[in-house]
Amino acid sequence: MVSMIKTRLLEIAKDASGATAIEYAMIAASVSIVIVGVVATMSGSLLGLFNAVIGGF
């Protein structure tokens, strides 16, 4: 019984069919985190820029 479980776990570990999808998901998640961080950082300066433009009219 233990050898069957060990064999099955080794088969699952060797199977790389879903690895590419997981890698792409990790890349997409990383890019989205960076985008959220940049937007959050720049929101104050963008608000100041828009207020300056509105104030010019």
Side-chain angles (χ1 to χ4, degrees):
M1 180 71 169
V2 173
S3 65
M4 286 182 9
I5 294 172
K6 184 178 178 181
T7 304
R8 183 65 182 141
L9 288 174
L10 288 174
E11 288 174 3
I12 291 172
K14 289 180 184 178
D15 184 21
S17 61
T20 303
I22 293 171
E23 290 168 358
Y24 282 127
M26 291 174 65
I27 291 170
S30 299
V31 168
S32 65
I33 290 170
V34 169
I35 289 172
V36 167
V38 168
V39 169
T41 302
M42 295 185 66
S43 64
S45 61
L46 286 175
L47 183 61
L49 175 67
F50 287 140
N51 286 332
V53 169
I54 291 171
F57 287 107

Short mmCIF file of all heavy atoms in Angstrom, two decimals:
data_model
loop_
_atom_site.label_atom_id
_atom_site.label_comp_id
_atom_site.label_asym_id
_atom_site.label_seq_id
_atom_site.Cartn_x
_atom_site.Cartn_y
_atom_site.Cartn_z
N MET A 1 0.82 -1.19 0.00
CA MET A 1 0.00 0.00 0.00
C MET A 1 0.87 1.26 0.00
O MET A 1 0.59 2.19 -0.74
CB MET A 1 -0.92 -0.04 1.23
CG MET A 1 -1.83 1.15 1.35
SD MET A 1 -3.06 1.06 0.07
CE MET A 1 -4.16 2.30 0.59
N VAL A 2 1.90 1.27 0.84
CA VAL A 2 2.79 2.43 0.91
C VAL A 2 3.55 2.59 -0.40
O VAL A 2 3.74 3.71 -0.88
CB VAL A 2 3.75 2.29 2.11
CG1 VAL A 2 4.78 3.39 2.10
CG2 VAL A 2 2.98 2.27 3.41
N SER A 3 3.94 1.49 -0.99
CA SER A 3 4.68 1.58 -2.26
C SER A 3 3.79 2.10 -3.38
O SER A 3 4.27 2.81 -4.27
CB SER A 3 5.27 0.22 -2.62
OG SER A 3 4.24 -0.71 -2.89
N MET A 4 2.50 1.78 -3.35
CA MET A 4 1.58 2.31 -4.36
C MET A 4 1.43 3.81 -4.22
O MET A 4 1.43 4.55 -5.22
CB MET A 4 0.20 1.65 -4.24
CG MET A 4 0.15 0.23 -4.74
SD MET A 4 -1.45 -0.61 -4.68
CE MET A 4 -2.63 0.60 -4.26
N ILE A 5 1.35 4.29 -2.98
CA ILE A 5 1.23 5.73 -2.75
C ILE A 5 2.51 6.43 -3.18
O ILE A 5 2.48 7.48 -3.84
CB ILE A 5 0.92 6.01 -1.27
CG1 ILE A 5 -0.46 5.47 -0.91
CG2 ILE A 5 1.01 7.50 -0.96
CD1 ILE A 5 -0.79 5.52 0.56
N LYS A 6 3.64 5.83 -2.84
CA LYS A 6 4.93 6.42 -3.22
C LYS A 6 5.06 6.46 -4.74
O LYS A 6 5.49 7.48 -5.30
CB LYS A 6 6.07 5.60 -2.62
CG LYS A 6 7.43 6.17 -2.87
CD LYS A 6 8.51 5.34 -2.19
CE LYS A 6 9.88 5.89 -2.50
NZ LYS A 6 10.94 5.12 -1.88
N THR A 7 4.68 5.40 -5.42
CA THR A 7 4.74 5.36 -6.88
C THR A 7 3.85 6.42 -7.49
O THR A 7 4.25 7.13 -8.42
CB THR A 7 4.34 3.96 -7.39
OG1 THR A 7 5.17 2.98 -6.77
CG2 THR A 7 4.47 3.87 -8.90
N ARG A 8 2.64 6.56 -6.97
CA ARG A 8 1.70 7.55 -7.50
C ARG A 8 2.21 8.97 -7.27
O ARG A 8 2.10 9.83 -8.15
CB ARG A 8 0.33 7.37 -6.83
CG ARG A 8 -0.71 8.28 -7.34
CD ARG A 8 -1.03 8.01 -8.80
NE ARG A 8 -2.02 8.97 -9.24
CZ ARG A 8 -2.01 9.54 -10.42
NH1 ARG A 8 -1.10 9.21 -11.31
NH2 ARG A 8 -2.92 10.41 -10.74
N LEU A 9 2.77 9.24 -6.10
CA LEU A 9 3.33 10.57 -5.83
C LEU A 9 4.49 10.88 -6.75
O LEU A 9 4.64 12.02 -7.21
CB LEU A 9 3.75 10.68 -4.37
CG LEU A 9 2.61 10.77 -3.35
CD1 LEU A 9 3.16 10.74 -1.94
CD2 LEU A 9 1.77 12.01 -3.58
N LEU A 10 5.33 9.90 -7.05
CA LEU A 10 6.44 10.11 -7.98
C LEU A 10 5.93 10.39 -9.38
O LEU A 10 6.47 11.23 -10.10
CB LEU A 10 7.38 8.91 -7.97
CG LEU A 10 8.23 8.76 -6.71
CD1 LEU A 10 9.01 7.44 -6.75
CD2 LEU A 10 9.18 9.92 -6.55
N GLU A 11 4.85 9.72 -9.79
CA GLU A 11 4.26 9.96 -11.10
C GLU A 11 3.71 11.39 -11.19
O GLU A 11 3.89 12.07 -12.20
CB GLU A 11 3.14 8.96 -11.38
CG GLU A 11 3.61 7.56 -11.65
CD GLU A 11 2.45 6.58 -11.79
OE1 GLU A 11 1.27 7.01 -11.72
OE2 GLU A 11 2.72 5.38 -11.94
N ILE A 12 3.05 11.81 -10.12
CA ILE A 12 2.50 13.16 -10.11
C ILE A 12 3.62 14.20 -10.15
O ILE A 12 3.53 15.21 -10.84
CB ILE A 12 1.61 13.36 -8.87
CG1 ILE A 12 0.35 12.51 -9.00
CG2 ILE A 12 1.24 14.82 -8.67
CD1 ILE A 12 -0.51 12.47 -7.75
N ALA A 13 4.70 13.94 -9.44
CA ALA A 13 5.83 14.88 -9.41
C ALA A 13 6.51 14.99 -10.76
O ALA A 13 7.00 16.05 -11.14
CB ALA A 13 6.83 14.45 -8.35
N LYS A 14 6.55 13.89 -11.52
CA LYS A 14 7.21 13.90 -12.82
C LYS A 14 6.33 14.52 -13.91
O LYS A 14 6.83 14.95 -14.94
CB LYS A 14 7.59 12.49 -13.22
CG LYS A 14 8.73 11.93 -12.41
CD LYS A 14 9.06 10.52 -12.85
CE LYS A 14 10.15 9.91 -11.98
NZ LYS A 14 10.45 8.53 -12.35
N ASP A 15 5.02 14.56 -13.70
CA ASP A 15 4.09 15.10 -14.69
C ASP A 15 4.21 16.61 -14.73
O ASP A 15 3.93 17.30 -13.75
CB ASP A 15 2.66 14.69 -14.34
CG ASP A 15 1.67 15.14 -15.39
OD1 ASP A 15 2.08 15.41 -16.54
OD2 ASP A 15 0.47 15.21 -15.06
N ALA A 16 4.63 17.15 -15.86
CA ALA A 16 4.83 18.60 -15.99
C ALA A 16 3.82 19.23 -16.94
O ALA A 16 4.04 20.32 -17.45
CB ALA A 16 6.24 18.88 -16.49
N SER A 17 2.69 18.59 -17.17
CA SER A 17 1.74 19.10 -18.15
C SER A 17 1.09 20.41 -17.72
O SER A 17 0.77 21.24 -18.55
CB SER A 17 0.66 18.06 -18.43
OG SER A 17 -0.06 17.77 -17.24
N GLY A 18 0.90 20.63 -16.44
CA GLY A 18 0.27 21.86 -15.98
C GLY A 18 1.26 22.92 -15.54
O GLY A 18 0.86 23.99 -15.10
N ALA A 19 2.52 22.64 -15.66
CA ALA A 19 3.54 23.58 -15.18
C ALA A 19 3.51 24.90 -15.93
O ALA A 19 3.67 25.96 -15.33
CB ALA A 19 4.92 22.95 -15.26
N THR A 20 3.31 24.87 -17.23
CA THR A 20 3.32 26.09 -18.02
C THR A 20 2.17 27.00 -17.62
O THR A 20 2.36 28.21 -17.47
CB THR A 20 3.24 25.75 -19.52
OG1 THR A 20 4.34 24.90 -19.84
CG2 THR A 20 3.34 27.00 -20.35
N ALA A 21 0.99 26.44 -17.43
CA ALA A 21 -0.16 27.25 -17.03
C ALA A 21 0.08 27.89 -15.67
O ALA A 21 -0.25 29.06 -15.46
CB ALA A 21 -1.42 26.39 -17.00
N ILE A 22 0.67 27.16 -14.76
CA ILE A 22 0.95 27.71 -13.44
C ILE A 22 1.99 28.81 -13.53
O ILE A 22 1.88 29.85 -12.88
CB ILE A 22 1.41 26.59 -12.48
CG1 ILE A 22 0.26 25.64 -12.21
CG2 ILE A 22 1.96 27.16 -11.18
CD1 ILE A 22 0.65 24.39 -11.46
N GLU A 23 3.00 28.62 -14.37
CA GLU A 23 4.02 29.65 -14.54
C GLU A 23 3.42 30.93 -15.12
O GLU A 23 3.73 32.04 -14.66
CB GLU A 23 5.14 29.14 -15.45
CG GLU A 23 5.98 28.07 -14.80
CD GLU A 23 6.89 27.36 -15.78
OE1 GLU A 23 6.84 27.67 -16.98
OE2 GLU A 23 7.66 26.50 -15.33
N TYR A 24 2.56 30.80 -16.12
CA TYR A 24 1.91 31.98 -16.70
C TYR A 24 1.01 32.66 -15.67
O TYR A 24 0.93 33.90 -15.63
CB TYR A 24 1.10 31.62 -17.94
CG TYR A 24 1.96 31.43 -19.17
CD1 TYR A 24 1.89 30.28 -19.94
CD2 TYR A 24 2.85 32.42 -19.56
CE1 TYR A 24 2.68 30.10 -21.05
CE2 TYR A 24 3.65 32.26 -20.68
CZ TYR A 24 3.56 31.11 -21.43
OH TYR A 24 4.34 30.94 -22.53
N ALA A 25 0.33 31.90 -14.84
CA ALA A 25 -0.51 32.49 -13.81
C ALA A 25 0.33 33.26 -12.80
O ALA A 25 -0.06 34.34 -12.35
CB ALA A 25 -1.32 31.40 -13.11
N MET A 26 1.50 32.72 -12.45
CA MET A 26 2.38 33.41 -11.51
C MET A 26 2.93 34.69 -12.11
O MET A 26 3.03 35.72 -11.43
CB MET A 26 3.51 32.49 -11.08
CG MET A 26 3.05 31.35 -10.20
SD MET A 26 4.33 30.17 -9.82
CE MET A 26 5.46 31.15 -8.87
N ILE A 27 3.25 34.67 -13.39
CA ILE A 27 3.74 35.88 -14.07
C ILE A 27 2.64 36.93 -14.11
O ILE A 27 2.87 38.11 -13.83
CB ILE A 27 4.25 35.54 -15.49
CG1 ILE A 27 5.53 34.72 -15.40
CG2 ILE A 27 4.47 36.81 -16.30
CD1 ILE A 27 5.98 34.13 -16.72
N ALA A 28 1.42 36.52 -14.47
CA ALA A 28 0.29 37.46 -14.53
C ALA A 28 0.01 38.06 -13.16
O ALA A 28 -0.25 39.27 -13.05
CB ALA A 28 -0.95 36.75 -15.08
N ALA A 29 0.07 37.25 -12.12
CA ALA A 29 -0.16 37.76 -10.77
C ALA A 29 0.92 38.76 -10.38
O ALA A 29 0.63 39.80 -9.78
CB ALA A 29 -0.20 36.60 -9.78
N SER A 30 2.17 38.47 -10.72
CA SER A 30 3.28 39.38 -10.40
C SER A 30 3.12 40.71 -11.12
O SER A 30 3.31 41.78 -10.53
CB SER A 30 4.61 38.74 -10.76
OG SER A 30 4.81 37.56 -10.05
N VAL A 31 2.76 40.66 -12.39
CA VAL A 31 2.59 41.88 -13.17
C VAL A 31 1.43 42.71 -12.60
O VAL A 31 1.54 43.94 -12.48
CB VAL A 31 2.36 41.55 -14.66
CG1 VAL A 31 1.89 42.76 -15.43
CG2 VAL A 31 3.63 40.99 -15.26
N SER A 32 0.34 42.05 -12.22
CA SER A 32 -0.79 42.79 -11.68
C SER A 32 -0.45 43.43 -10.34
O SER A 32 -0.89 44.54 -10.05
CB SER A 32 -2.02 41.89 -11.55
OG SER A 32 -1.78 40.87 -10.61
N ILE A 33 0.35 42.77 -9.52
CA ILE A 33 0.77 43.35 -8.25
C ILE A 33 1.62 44.59 -8.49
O ILE A 33 1.47 45.61 -7.82
CB ILE A 33 1.51 42.31 -7.39
CG1 ILE A 33 0.53 41.25 -6.89
CG2 ILE A 33 2.24 42.96 -6.23
CD1 ILE A 33 1.18 40.06 -6.24
N VAL A 34 2.51 44.52 -9.47
CA VAL A 34 3.35 45.68 -9.80
C VAL A 34 2.49 46.83 -10.31
O VAL A 34 2.70 47.99 -9.91
CB VAL A 34 4.43 45.29 -10.83
CG1 VAL A 34 5.13 46.51 -11.39
CG2 VAL A 34 5.44 44.33 -10.20
N ILE A 35 1.53 46.54 -11.16
CA ILE A 35 0.65 47.59 -11.69
C ILE A 35 -0.12 48.27 -10.57
O ILE A 35 -0.23 49.50 -10.52
CB ILE A 35 -0.29 47.02 -12.77
CG1 ILE A 35 0.51 46.67 -14.02
CG2 ILE A 35 -1.42 48.00 -13.10
CD1 ILE A 35 -0.28 45.94 -15.08
N VAL A 36 -0.67 47.48 -9.66
CA VAL A 36 -1.42 48.05 -8.53
C VAL A 36 -0.49 48.92 -7.68
O VAL A 36 -0.88 50.01 -7.26
CB VAL A 36 -2.07 46.93 -7.69
CG1 VAL A 36 -2.57 47.46 -6.37
CG2 VAL A 36 -3.20 46.27 -8.46
N GLY A 37 0.72 48.48 -7.45
CA GLY A 37 1.66 49.27 -6.67
C GLY A 37 2.01 50.59 -7.33
O GLY A 37 2.07 51.63 -6.67
N VAL A 38 2.24 50.55 -8.63
CA VAL A 38 2.58 51.77 -9.36
C VAL A 38 1.41 52.75 -9.36
O VAL A 38 1.59 53.95 -9.13
CB VAL A 38 3.04 51.44 -10.80
CG1 VAL A 38 3.12 52.68 -11.65
CG2 VAL A 38 4.37 50.72 -10.77
N VAL A 39 0.22 52.24 -9.61
CA VAL A 39 -0.95 53.11 -9.63
C VAL A 39 -1.19 53.71 -8.25
O VAL A 39 -1.50 54.90 -8.13
CB VAL A 39 -2.19 52.34 -10.13
CG1 VAL A 39 -3.47 53.12 -9.90
CG2 VAL A 39 -2.04 52.01 -11.60
N ALA A 40 -1.03 52.91 -7.20
CA ALA A 40 -1.22 53.43 -5.85
C ALA A 40 -0.18 54.49 -5.52
O ALA A 40 -0.49 55.50 -4.86
CB ALA A 40 -1.15 52.28 -4.85
N THR A 41 1.03 54.31 -5.97
CA THR A 41 2.10 55.27 -5.70
C THR A 41 1.89 56.57 -6.47
O THR A 41 2.13 57.65 -5.94
CB THR A 41 3.47 54.67 -6.09
OG1 THR A 41 3.66 53.46 -5.35
CG2 THR A 41 4.59 55.62 -5.79
N MET A 42 1.44 56.47 -7.70
CA MET A 42 1.31 57.65 -8.55
C MET A 42 -0.03 58.34 -8.42
O MET A 42 -0.22 59.41 -9.03
CB MET A 42 1.55 57.26 -10.01
CG MET A 42 2.95 56.78 -10.30
SD MET A 42 3.21 56.48 -12.03
CE MET A 42 3.05 58.11 -12.68
N SER A 43 -0.97 57.79 -7.67
CA SER A 43 -2.30 58.39 -7.62
C SER A 43 -2.28 59.81 -7.07
O SER A 43 -3.02 60.67 -7.55
CB SER A 43 -3.25 57.51 -6.81
OG SER A 43 -2.83 57.44 -5.47
N GLY A 44 -1.46 60.07 -6.08
CA GLY A 44 -1.38 61.42 -5.52
C GLY A 44 -0.84 62.42 -6.51
O GLY A 44 -1.37 63.53 -6.65
N SER A 45 0.22 62.06 -7.23
CA SER A 45 0.79 63.00 -8.19
C SER A 45 -0.13 63.18 -9.39
O SER A 45 -0.21 64.29 -9.94
CB SER A 45 2.17 62.52 -8.65
OG SER A 45 2.09 61.26 -9.27
N LEU A 46 -0.85 62.16 -9.78
CA LEU A 46 -1.81 62.32 -10.87
C LEU A 46 -2.96 63.22 -10.45
O LEU A 46 -3.43 64.04 -11.25
CB LEU A 46 -2.35 60.95 -11.32
CG LEU A 46 -1.40 60.09 -12.12
CD1 LEU A 46 -2.02 58.72 -12.39
CD2 LEU A 46 -1.04 60.76 -13.43
N LEU A 47 -3.40 63.08 -9.23
CA LEU A 47 -4.47 63.94 -8.74
C LEU A 47 -4.01 65.40 -8.73
O LEU A 47 -4.76 66.29 -9.14
CB LEU A 47 -4.89 63.51 -7.33
CG LEU A 47 -6.05 64.26 -6.70
CD1 LEU A 47 -7.31 64.08 -7.54
CD2 LEU A 47 -6.27 63.77 -5.29
N GLY A 48 -2.77 65.64 -8.31
CA GLY A 48 -2.23 67.00 -8.34
C GLY A 48 -2.13 67.55 -9.75
O GLY A 48 -2.44 68.71 -10.00
N LEU A 49 -1.74 66.70 -10.69
CA LEU A 49 -1.65 67.12 -12.09
C LEU A 49 -3.02 67.49 -12.64
O LEU A 49 -3.19 68.52 -13.29
CB LEU A 49 -1.02 66.01 -12.93
CG LEU A 49 -0.95 66.24 -14.43
CD1 LEU A 49 0.01 67.39 -14.75
CD2 LEU A 49 -0.52 64.98 -15.14
N PHE A 50 -4.01 66.65 -12.36
CA PHE A 50 -5.36 66.94 -12.86
C PHE A 50 -5.92 68.21 -12.22
O PHE A 50 -6.57 69.02 -12.90
CB PHE A 50 -6.30 65.76 -12.58
CG PHE A 50 -6.04 64.57 -13.48
CD1 PHE A 50 -6.11 63.29 -12.95
CD2 PHE A 50 -5.75 64.71 -14.81
CE1 PHE A 50 -5.87 62.18 -13.75
CE2 PHE A 50 -5.50 63.62 -15.62
CZ PHE A 50 -5.56 62.35 -15.10
N ASN A 51 -5.66 68.42 -10.94
CA ASN A 51 -6.11 69.64 -10.30
C ASN A 51 -5.42 70.86 -10.88
O ASN A 51 -6.05 71.93 -11.03
CB ASN A 51 -5.89 69.56 -8.79
CG ASN A 51 -6.87 68.64 -8.12
OD1 ASN A 51 -7.99 68.45 -8.61
ND2 ASN A 51 -6.47 68.07 -6.99
N ALA A 52 -4.15 70.76 -11.24
CA ALA A 52 -3.44 71.87 -11.86
C ALA A 52 -4.02 72.20 -13.23
O ALA A 52 -4.16 73.36 -13.59
CB ALA A 52 -1.95 71.55 -11.98
N VAL A 53 -4.37 71.16 -13.97
CA VAL A 53 -4.97 71.39 -15.29
C VAL A 53 -6.34 72.03 -15.15
O VAL A 53 -6.67 72.97 -15.87
CB VAL A 53 -5.06 70.05 -16.07
CG1 VAL A 53 -5.90 70.19 -17.32
CG2 VAL A 53 -3.67 69.54 -16.41
N ILE A 54 -7.12 71.52 -14.19
CA ILE A 54 -8.46 72.11 -13.98
C ILE A 54 -8.33 73.56 -13.50
O ILE A 54 -9.11 74.43 -13.92
CB ILE A 54 -9.25 71.26 -12.96
CG1 ILE A 54 -9.62 69.92 -13.60
CG2 ILE A 54 -10.50 71.98 -12.51
CD1 ILE A 54 -10.21 68.92 -12.62
N GLY A 55 -7.37 73.82 -12.65
CA GLY A 55 -7.16 75.17 -12.14
C GLY A 55 -6.73 76.15 -13.21
O GLY A 55 -6.93 77.35 -13.10
N GLY A 56 -6.16 75.66 -14.29
CA GLY A 56 -5.70 76.52 -15.37
C GLY A 56 -6.84 77.04 -16.25
O GLY A 56 -6.66 78.00 -17.00
N PHE A 57 -8.00 76.43 -16.12
CA PHE A 57 -9.12 76.88 -16.96
C PHE A 57 -9.99 77.83 -16.27
O PHE A 57 -10.39 78.01 -15.30
CB PHE A 57 -9.95 75.66 -17.43
CG PHE A 57 -9.24 74.86 -18.47
CD1 PHE A 57 -8.71 73.62 -18.18
CD2 PHE A 57 -9.07 75.35 -19.75
CE1 PHE A 57 -8.05 72.87 -19.13
CE2 PHE A 57 -8.42 74.60 -20.71
CZ PHE A 57 -7.90 73.36 -20.40
#
